[in-house]
Amino acid sequence: MIAMQSGSPSMFGTAGPAAHEIAVLGWVLTIISLAVLLVVSLILLAALFRQRAARAEQPDGVVIRPNGSITLIVWGGIVIPAIILVCALLFILFVQSAVATPPTPPVATIRIVGHRWWWQVIYTANAPDQQVVTANEIHVPVGQPVRLELASADVIHSFWVPKLAGKTDVIPGQQNTMWMQADKPGVYWGECAEYCGLQHTHMNLLVVAQSPADFRHWLDQQRQPAAPPTDPVTATGERVFARSACAACHTVGGTTAMGQIGPDLTHVASRRTLAAGTLPNTPGNLAGWIANAQGIKPGNDMPTMTLPPGDLQVLVAWLETLQ
Amino acid sequence: MAIVARPYDLPISPQDRRAPGRLGMMLLIATEASFFVYLLFSYFYLASMARGSWPPDGNPALRLSLPNTIILIVSSGTMWWAEAGIKKGQQMRLRIGLLVTLVLGMLFLALQGLEYSNQKFTPATHAYGSLFFTITGFHGAHVAAGLLMNIFVQARAWAGHFTATRHLALSNVALYWHFVDVVWIVVFLSLYISPRLG
Amino acid sequence: MAITTAPTAPVEKLERLWETAPGLYGVLATVDHKTIGKRYIVTALVFFLLGGIEAAFMRTQLIHSNVHLLGAEEYDQIFTMHGVTMLFLFASPILSGFSNYLWPLMIGARDMAFPRVNALSYWTFLLSGVFLYTSFLIGQAPDGGWFAYVPMTGRTYSPGLNLDFYALGLIFITISTTVGAVNFVVTFFKMRAPGMSLNRVPIIMWGTLSASVAIVFALPALSVACVMLYFDRRFGMHFFDAAEGGHPLLWQHLFWMFGHPWVYIIVLPAIGLASDMIPTFARRPLAGYTFVALSTITTAILGFGVWVHHMFATGLPMLATTFFSAASMMIAIPSGVSIFAWIATIWHGKPVFRTPFLFLIGFIVLFVIGGVSGMMTAAVPFDWQLTDNYFIVAHIHYVLIGINVFPVFAALYYWLPKMTGRMLSERYGRWVFWLMFIGANLAFFPMHISGMLGMPRRVYTYQPGLGWDTINLITSIGAYVFALGVLLFLVDFFRSLAVGPEAGDNPWDAPTLEWSVSSPPPPYNFAVIPTVRSRHPLWEGRLGEEYHTIVGTGPILDRGRETFGTSALDSDAYEILQMPEDSLWPLILAAMMTVMFYGLLFGVWWLAVLGLVLMIFSLAGWCWPRSLHADEMELLSGEE
């Protein structure tokens, strides 16, 4: 399962400095909260069940109002909460400043564009042939921060990789930026965290943290256009792609396909998932997705493609060469 | 427990400033005023986020709006004059004052309609257009409501319902009309004057 | 002023003056606050059940990963309507219902300040709910979530009628809420019995007053937002359209400038109800009365200054988020004051564990849990992890169920006997309480954890292997347990109407004025208007108070439908107010409003205009006086 690749996307057990600082704050606030709950509950229980002097004349009568009730209210309701809240606030401000900027300057700027319902990932560069365009998978070098520029192609989404950082909304007409850093190699689950329509739940992504050397190697590989097919099967597959309207939506570098509506497929076979984290990327799943996209992710922009028999296999074979 | 009754001798529903209906009208005005506050918040918020020039088609003209502002202020004056009249029991002054106020209000709406037809943009052209027409349009709707209220109390005035001490409905309508005037002044300053202030 | 004593007040005359006309006319035209209050409560409970059915569907869908009981679109409509129903059609109206019923009885008055406006607020509530639910009949219920963020809810991405139902339906209900609020504020300041100075009013009145003032200033933000949404969708305007100078965040600012005060509006009256019930079961007056009254007012005011905490993840500058984070932390203090006031009342009292009190204890516990989870989300960087996932869903349900539903159920057990004359069952009541308390905690406490494990909200299903399955199973079971409790309450309610023991005037030995009249009260509430001397009129003797409220002797005010108009601070009577008779105008006006809204919904402009024109004529008919005052008659007859 995809999730097994990354484990539960818990906000604790963090893997990056931003999430770590926030998790410390989180634990502190959680402990304070539980302590408050415990103390107030104990006081309430004491109030309910404490021994009281018997009042023989009126067992269920009305109690004469004694003094002393203000102490509990003033201390419990005003003084102690104010002290706790002010201390908490100072700690919060400290953490907020701490996570505002990365520990070292970012080594890459990645533009993330949220679509309904997938994530476009663009590694920006000065020269156009250095740019990398992929989808639903972000690679980062371990121990080095990257800067993310978040934009939306349609509605409001929210970019969230719980183990690495807090979420930031992706808002049309506004560019939000955040930084992200992974300190341990691994694969981290990300998701859309703002209800954006029918398939909001199937708009996930993976962040792959690799050693800086592996990251550079990956980047170089992603910069290459698709290699021309080397055998008749895959060559046929490429022709199926070209004539089946796939190119209307998808781009494959090095071919004539330059569609901008769907994800860039130049290196689709190198990705771990399909359909924004919905399926593991296997040939069977890829075939299943092409043949039944609307059944797997109803309402998304990929139509269910009914291809002549035989075409699907060669198409998938060719797509599998797009590493 | 025997219930023992005591007769009580107090005025019955005096229509003075402490009447419940008066407070009710003030609260209605408070909520309507808030409505305009949120509209104007929206105006200034989008103005602050504007990338190009604001307003995008240049400042809105004062040619009709300034005289219109004066007309509305005068109409508050005539409404005040009408109410002051009935406080002294002067029925004709009340009726004439209401009538003149009505005419001035209708003139305001007519001039506003003229200004609308001269505008280079529509509500669907850009956000500024949406704001301009919605804000002035809702104000115009409140003017129209005030005019309908005017007709209503005029009918009662011509039927002789009001006296020097009993004219709460009229006072409430007058208060509403002054409110509508104040809203216009704020809208005018926000939409027509503030873009001109650097 | 002569004071004469008569042996018995002629209540037959009062009865004739105040009772509702018989037959269908009476049903449609009544302005009796007690009837209107009961209608509000019943209607709101029906919506509560509908919202609960929606929740049951949701929890069944989410009981396990990849369940496909519902498709994505169906689920989206159901979760949206669950939120809209609970927050607009249940949470506020049920409190309006209790306030409507109780206020005049608690303040020694014969009705609310504006009885016909009261009827209007009920009819528009009912019709706006019907309007919203007719969307299900054509399969186009709102599906953008209860806060409907643009651009998704604009016409490009939501081309159907779903969001038009939403925008217009909410505008419709704001009319109901606003006119109701105006009624409460004026009643508070004008209609209290002689002697009921500000420091003697029951806390429910402070709670509803604070909420009502907040409504006056906050609801217009929602109206503006919904008008703009409707205009963008219907007429192609660009308020929220970034490409043409609009901005999606404008919607969020406007919505939350309404939305945050709204969540206080739906709990402050409930806090008032709880503050008035706890003393009865602690057998002593409320400790820190002034503290509690002030904290409801403070909360309502501060509630206007925290809305941005719903927008911490939108990329706002740090200065802004810091301010709102601090304000959101500080608003916890008035809540803390109230909680310790209740605990102090219990501590220095002698608890009696009847069913309402069980719900009130549950209320305090759930309030604390909801409050601390709110404090956690007030921390901006932590909120970046917690918002928009099931942690927030846990928080909102703890505060809503804890601070609204539990006091409401306590109030039902406590005041239904006054309304119906029959007690509910203690035995059933305990079962209802424990099922609801355990069910609520089982359902919502685990959500804190599933949120922290990364489960986002508003998802129609989720993938296996993410560690969310078991928690969702527990949550769904908890939800069913809670639902069982609610159903058991319904059984008990109907049972009690048939065979419940008679309640008598004051089954709880409570201190406030409503318990001095019969159960159910007569149509005129009080045969003679009381003169109040303390906060707890019926306990004065036992508390050794020096001055005693006068309840049996007083002005009868039976020359028509009459009650006192009193001064704002000290409640000295200075006038006699004449109250209106039954009237059909409120219903007619509400019906014409409905016609207008359907016209706007379907774009049938002549229908909308017709509805508006008929509304104007209805208002004119309503406002034209039925009979003139003596002075005015004299003037007319003296005219040429």
Side-chain angles (χ1 to χ4, degrees), chain A residues 206-269:
Chain A
L206 293 178
V207 176
V208 180
Q210 310 169 289
S211 69
D214 285 343
F215 170 69
R216 276 193 297 277
H217 174 76
W218 175 84
L219 213 52
D220 286 332
Q221 190 206 19
Q222 294 284 316
R223 283 176 177 133
Q224 307 306 315
T230 50
D231 66 75
V233 173
T234 52
T236 317
E238 187 186 16
R239 284 196 295 279
V240 168
F241 186 86
R243 69 167 181 259
S244 300
C246 310
C249 296
H250 293 283
T251 296
V252 178
T255 72
T256 53
M258 299 211 306
Q260 298 295 319
I261 299 174
D264 185 300
L265 298 180
T266 314
H267 299 279
V268 61

Side-chain angles (χ1 to χ4, degrees), chain B residues 34 37 71 75 171:
Chain B
S34 305
V37 165
I71 287 171
S75 78
S171 297

Side-chain angles (χ1 to χ4, degrees), chain B residues 4 6 13 18 31 38 124 159, chain C residues 190 216-217 238 552 554 576 636:
Chain B
V4 172
R6 271 196 340 236
S13 291
R18 293 188 296 178
T31 205
Y38 292 112
Chain C
K190 297 286 178 191
V216 165
F217 292 108
H238 300 288
I576 292 172
L636 272 181

Side-chain angles (χ1 to χ4, degrees), chain C residues 501-521:
Chain C
E502 262 190 47
D505 290 1
N506 194 354
W508 309 109
D509 194 9
T512 41
L513 278 178
E514 77 272 24
W515 303 104
S516 72
V517 298
S518 61
S519 303

Side-chain angles (χ1 to χ4, degrees), chain B residues 159-172:
Chain B
H161 284 189
F162 298 124
T163 70
T165 52
R166 299 190 65 82
H167 52 265
L168 182 62
L170 183 275
S171 297
N172 280 345

Side-chain angles (χ1 to χ4, degrees), chain B residues 16-49:
Chain B
D16 59 3
R17 286 292 150 104
R18 293 188 296 178
R22 184 67 168 176
L23 181 56
M25 176 53 86
M26 286 163 57
L27 288 165
L28 178 69
I29 287 174
T31 205
E32 297 291 287
S34 305
F35 185 83
F36 283 98
V37 165
Y38 292 112
L39 279 174
L40 289 172
F41 162 81
S42 307
Y43 174 83
F44 286 111
Y45 177 78
L46 290 182
S48 73
M49 312 277 277

Side-chain angles (χ1 to χ4, degrees), chain A residues 50 52 63 160 167 191 195, chain C residues 143 283 347 349 385 387 454:
Chain A
R50 73 188 188 97
R52 290 165 164 84
V63 176
W160 190 32
K167 65 182 66 71
E191 43 190 63
Y195 175 55
Chain C
D143 58 357
R283 309 308 297 150
W347 186 287
Q385 292 283 34
T387 194

